[in-house]
Amino acid sequence: MKPSKSDIISTVEFNHTGELLATGDKGGRVVIFQREQESKNQVHRRGEYNVYSTFQSHEPEFDYLKSLEIEEKINKIRWLPQQNAAYFLLSTNDKTVKLWKVSERDKRPEGYNLKDEEGRLRDPATITTLRVPVLRPMDLMVEATPRRVFANAHTYHINSISVNSDYETYMSADDLRINLWNFEITNQSFNIVDIKPANMEELTEVITAAEFHPHHCNTFVYSSSKGTIRLCDMRASALCDRHTKFFEEPEDPSNRSFFSEIISSISDVKFSHSGRYIMTRDYLTVKVWDLNMENRPIETYQVHDYLRSKLCSLYENDCIFDKFECVWNGSDSVIMTGSYNNFFRMFDRNTKRDVTLEASRENSKPRAILKPRKVCVGGKRRKDEISVDSLDFSKKILHTAWHPSENIIAVAATNNLYIFQDKVN
């Protein structure tokens, strides 16, 4: 059975405690999973994630001025740190960011004076006594309500949203501009980056991703389709058109090819939890940069180097434009990113060991242990290896997330969400 297009998962994000995991899909829905509490009698059964709330975040729209359909697809979800019993998250499609409040209700008031229990107004003549309303228990209800809608600020498609560490502001980035918003103000935003040339024919690069520094509320980075990363400081000037730092690795002339520019485009940029490093993903590699060294990355990891010889066919089937994301584990010691054939890769920065794992139905039996996979390039194929030519390019892991403090990962494979964790004794 082929999945319907609207079920394809387009973003995955743990909240700050890891108790909740949100996914967004192409049909504009947000599904939130909650981790079950550990049961007393089965100590080793660590909490599993079960559906907590599902709601429609965005609807398809039509821009009549530009004769453009605006997809409902959720591009990104970002959680706000929890301040009270309710949870808040931002979700965005191509044009509109929404702030959602997700809260629980397990009591309802009864005994109103002016209304009956069904909510109809009572005839004032029949009201003879004053009643004190009481709260009665009811079945738990999880409600999702849109608290703010931040619209009409982007001419181009939004590719990133990032919550600032001051928790008062966030930014949204599209191909040519980055806007800064205050959570309380929906009708205006502040443009902090604008790379749109006066003449659009001179356009040479676009913004591909942007993120705030985890601890310094004045600092953010954004990446470009030219493979560069700019670090900006909002204290330096209101419009951050002049970057503070510029990270770029000089190209090796011997590797130059027709595809060089396409595969050097950065599809994701992420600060480490420590704030000391940034990680970038381009088509073939993941790179780790030290904020204090701009001329080259301190680490480069080959994600699927065996595809170098296949770039021509990957260009023809449009796969070369796939936007893979990358994530850090909670201690910044391991990084994870996706590949094709439902493979995903992990790189241990300390031991320099790496592993290829597969998210598939066969591996998804509870307590099944994932076996490392190997891809062979030419020559003789060992029996447990898979040949490059039999990789399925329609199965790709673009979106992954790592629990903030534990070894639990979420991997989106088309319309399936896989959650893997460290094996428990």
Side-chain angles (χ1 to χ4, degrees):
M1 198 177 86
K2 208 169 182 306
S4 90
K5 195 157 179 276
S6 63
D7 290 337
I8 294 174
I9 298 172
S10 51
T11 181
V12 188
E13 191 78 8
F14 279 100
N15 76 340
H16 291 251
T17 60
E19 289 307 297
L20 299 180
L21 170 68
T23 65
D25 66 22
K26 286 200 166 173
R29 284 181 303 270
V30 172
V31 180
I32 301 175
F33 299 86
Q34 184 183 43
R35 196 176 182 188
E36 295 297 310
Q37 297 303 312
E38 245 178 62
S39 55
K40 293 277 185 287
N41 47 6
Q42 298 169 298
V43 184
H44 291 313
R45 271 201 65 176
R46 283 208 297 215
E48 297 183 353
Y49 285 84
N50 292 318
V51 174
Y52 176 66
S53 173
T54 304
F55 57 93
Q56 188 71 30
S57 171
H58 287 68
E59 302 281 356
E61 292 173 61
F62 193 79
D63 182 336
Y64 291 97
L65 288 174
K66 298 201 185 83
S67 292
L68 275 183
E69 283 187 67
I70 300 167
E71 281 188 271
E72 64 272 41
K73 174 189 160 207
I74 308 292
N75 291 346
K76 285 284 186 291
I77 289 174
R78 289 290 179 262
W79 291 90
L80 277 66
Q82 196 177 356
Q83 311 281 358
N84 53 27
Y87 302 100
F88 287 88
L89 61 87
L90 286 172
S91 67
T92 186
N93 66 349
D94 283 341
K95 298 288 180 209
T96 304
V97 185
K98 295 184 180 182
L99 175 69
W100 289 88
K101 176 186 181 181
V102 181
S103 52
E104 294 183 357
R105 268 192 25 205
D106 59 357
K107 295 187 177 64
R108 66 160 183 261
E110 281 182 10
Y112 287 106
N113 288 291
L114 302 177
K115 294 176 182 171
D116 64 14
E117 299 314 324
E118 269 71 62
R120 292 184 298 262
L121 284 172
R122 290 165 60 191
D123 176 10
T126 64
I127 302 174
T128 55
T129 57
L130 186 64
R131 294 197 288 182
V132 178
V134 288
L135 285 173
R136 295 243 186 275
M138 60 177 250
D139 287 343
L140 178 68
M141 259 179 62
V142 180
E143 293 180 318
T145 45
R147 297 307 302 268
R148 304 266 188 284
V149 176
F150 304 90
N152 307 326
H154 286 276
T155 314
Y156 308 97
H157 294 339
I158 299 174
N159 55 48
S160 308
I161 44 177
S162 178
V163 177
N164 200 347
S165 59
D166 62 11
Y167 305 142
E168 289 177 15
T169 55
Y170 77 90
M171 69 177 169
S172 56
D174 67 26
D175 298 341
L176 298 180
R177 297 193 179 100
I178 301 177
N179 292 329
L180 181 70
W181 300 83
N182 186 302
F183 277 110
E184 301 302 320
I185 301 165
T186 57
N187 58 356
Q188 60 177 351
S189 62
F190 193 74
N191 181 226
I192 51 174
V193 171
D194 186 348
I195 64 164
K196 184 179 177 184
N199 176 3
M200 278 296 266
E201 283 170 11
E202 290 165 15
L203 183 66
T204 57
E205 63 180 329
V206 293
I207 298 166
T208 54
E211 191 179 57
F212 269 119
H213 189 284
H215 316 301
H216 303 312
C217 61
N218 51 286
T219 309
F220 65 93
V221 291
Y222 69 91
S223 59
S224 91
S225 55
K226 276 196 164 169
T228 61
I229 308 109
R230 290 171 174 83
L231 180 97
C232 301
D233 186 339
M234 294 192 289
R235 296 172 304 187
S237 70
L239 189 62
C240 301
D241 282 356
R242 288 192 302 279
H243 46 266
T244 311
K245 291 189 176 188
F246 183 74
F247 301 85
E248 182 178 30
E249 185 170 28
E251 193 191 12
D252 175 0
S254 63
N255 276 344
R256 180 109 191 110
S257 77
F258 170 75
F259 303 108
S260 297
E261 284 196 6
I262 304 174
I263 63 172
S264 65
S265 175
I266 293 173
S267 52
D268 197 16
V269 59
K270 291 268 175 36
F271 271 104
S272 61
H273 295 81
S274 66
R276 168 79 190 267
Y277 305 101
I278 33 182
M279 165 169 59
T280 58
R281 169 74 208 256
D282 56 41
Y283 191 63
L284 295 175
T285 65
V286 172
K287 294 174 181 172
V288 176
W289 305 76
D290 187 315
L291 282 193
N292 301 322
M293 188 163 95
E294 298 168 60
N295 58 342
R296 60 190 167 88
I298 53 168
E299 296 155 32
T300 299
Y301 301 97
Q302 301 296 335
V303 178
H304 35 218
D305 205 41
Y306 46 78
L307 295 183
R308 251 179 226 282
S309 60
K310 293 255 172 287
L311 292 176
C312 206
S313 55
L314 289 162
Y315 178 76
E316 283 164 9
N317 65 14
D318 275 355
C319 285
I320 202 165
F321 302 107
D322 285 335
K323 294 178 166 47
F324 291 97
E325 295 170 6
C326 51
V327 287
W328 302 87
N329 72 340
S331 60
D332 298 335
S333 60
V334 183
I335 55 191
M336 170 171 64
T337 191
S339 180
Y340 292 103
N341 209 63
N342 279 356
F343 289 171
F344 58 97
R345 304 271 283 137
M346 288 188 171
F347 303 96
D348 187 311
R349 299 179 59 212
N350 302 324
T351 64
K352 297 295 179 231
R353 293 220 300 264
D354 65 277
V355 65
T356 302
L357 300 169
E358 182 182 6
S360 71
R361 281 289 164 87
E362 293 72 72
N363 298 342
S364 64
K365 299 181 187 67
R367 310 278 168 277
I369 291 183
L370 292 182
K371 291 188 191 63
R373 303 297 307 258
K374 285 228 170 12
V375 178
C376 84
V377 192
K380 291 194 66 167
R381 184 166 73 87
R382 293 205 188 90
K383 69 173 195 317
D384 57 342
E385 291 184 332
I386 179 168
S387 124
V388 175
D389 297 316
S390 54
L391 293 174
D392 184 342
F393 291 106
S394 66
K395 295 180 171 168
K396 47 194 104 172
I397 305 286
L398 301 175
H399 315 287
T400 58
W402 203 309
H403 187 291
S405 54
E406 293 178 43
N407 276 336
I408 299 176
I409 58 168
V411 177
T414 322
N415 60 328
N416 294 315
L417 179 71
Y418 294 92
I419 297 174
F420 302 112
Q421 60 179 25
D422 255 0
K423 51 177 196 282
V424 200
N425 337 334

